[in-house]
């Protein structure tokens, strides 16, 4: 229940059922309620302070509510949940061998995923493109360590063409296509208009999966020799 400046009472029809900080399903405890704005037509914008009841988290967060709009255009005495803040983003799972291969890739990928979840899709697209470059170049430097300086200075597409051979066809073809879409995220003219950010992310993940499989295979080849 929430009472506005005119004494009108509102029902909260949806309380948060997930803590935005620890991502646990919770039955929240209300600590405080405030009216932060009032619109003569719509009514109040209200914020509630909640405490996550779990022992591991126990942190505070704020939920924003607005009056529910009727189908005919008026507003009801029910407040609907708009959002909860602050959000702690869940880190993406990046396999150990990729984190070890390219810590910079792992960091840029996490940041890009956060930007994407926050709705900053333009920034996310550029970030994923940068993550791809670090992943591919660090992989190529691992398999061709003598060429490290050359690989570092070459254009990404040139590295893929020159250093990832037919024996690694899946890595090469996915990386190439990810690079095509990635370039669309950074250039003024978009060449592949039928594909979007989600396609770039899928191709980047595929490239990472093939590289990850290759690294795991190499690791076993090194460690496990015939007796
Ligand atoms: Zn929590």
């Amino acid at each position: 229940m929430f009472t506005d400046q005119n004494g009108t009472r509102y029902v909260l029809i949806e309380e948060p059922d997930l803590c935005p900080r620890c991502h646990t399903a919770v039955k929240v405890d209300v600590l405080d309620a405030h009216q932060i704005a009032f619109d003569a037509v719509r009514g109040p914008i209200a914020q509630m302070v909640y405490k996550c009841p779990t022992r591991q988290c126990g942190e505070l967060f704020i939920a924003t509510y607005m009056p529910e709009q009727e189908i005919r255009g008026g507003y009801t005495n029910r407040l609907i949940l708009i959002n909860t803040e602050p959000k702690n983003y869940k880190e993406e799972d990046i396999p150990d061998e990729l984190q070890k291969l390219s810590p910079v890739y792992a960091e840029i990928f996490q940041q890009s995923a956060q930007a994407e979840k926050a709705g900053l899709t333009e920034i996310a697209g550029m970030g994923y493109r940068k993550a791809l470059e670090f992943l591919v170049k660090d992989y190529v430097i691992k398999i061709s360590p003598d060429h490290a300086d050359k690989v570092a200075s070459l254009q990404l597409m040139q590295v893929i063409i020159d250093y990832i051979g037919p024996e690694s066809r899946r890595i090469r073809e996915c990386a190439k296509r990810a690079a095509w879409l990635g370039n669309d995220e950074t250039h003024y003219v978009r060449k592949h208009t039928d594909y979007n950010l989600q396609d770039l992310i899928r191709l980047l993940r595929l490239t990472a999966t093939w590289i990850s499989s290759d690294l795991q295979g190499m690791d076993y080849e090194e460690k496990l020799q015939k007796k």
Side-chain angles (χ1 to χ4, degrees), residues 19-24 26 52-54 57-59 61:
C19 170
R21 308 191 73 142
C22 69
H23 308 279
T24 305
V26 287
C52 173
T54 67
C57 173
E59 295 212 51
F61 62 92

Side-chain angles (χ1 to χ4, degrees), residues 67-71 73-76 80:
E68 179 187 44
Q69 192 166 18
E70 284 180 326
I71 296 164
Y75 289 87
T76 70
I80 53 167

